[in-house]
Amino acid sequence: MAKKKIVKKGKKPHKNKPTSKKYLMYKEDGGSLKKGRFCPRCGPGVFLMKAKERVYCGKCHYAEFDSKK
Ligand SMILES: [Zn+2]
């Protein structure tokens, strides 16, 4: 990520967030993650964030709804 080449995508301004909680969540919550969902668009390596009843890719904004309860 820390490359010199900067690609401007004109997205939301980045704030200095503390270490992304996403990753912590996955580590701590790894056991309860059923299969560890990866983003079908970004491919393996990019996790989908779990929301209430859906999963969401923070990278490409892919969202998938989980209809079963
Ligand atoms: Zn994605």
Side-chain angles (χ1 to χ4, degrees):
M1 292 288 258
K3 286 184 181 178
K4 274 195 176 179
K5 207 167 193 181
I6 296 174
V7 181
K8 279 193 180 178
K9 283 192 176 177
K11 298 224 167 163
K12 356 174 187 173
H14 260 204
K15 288 183 183 176
N16 261 340
K17 289 183 183 176
T19 322
S20 184
K21 286 179 184 172
K22 288 189 245 176
Y23 302 113
L24 291 176
M25 189 174 80
Y26 284 118
K27 278 182 185 173
E28 289 172 6
D29 209 26
S32 64
L33 272 182
K34 285 170 191 171
K35 287 166 193 171
R37 299 295 310 278
F38 290 118
C39 175
R41 282 192 202 167
C42 300
V46 178
F47 282 104
L48 296 172
M49 293 193 301
K50 286 188 91 174
K52 275 188 182 177
E53 288 187 347
R54 61 180 175 164
V55 288
Y56 174 79
C57 174
K59 197 171 180 183
C60 71
H61 295 194
Y62 169 87
E64 192 176 279
F65 289 84
D66 188 15
S67 46
K68 61 179 175 181
K69 286 191 176 178

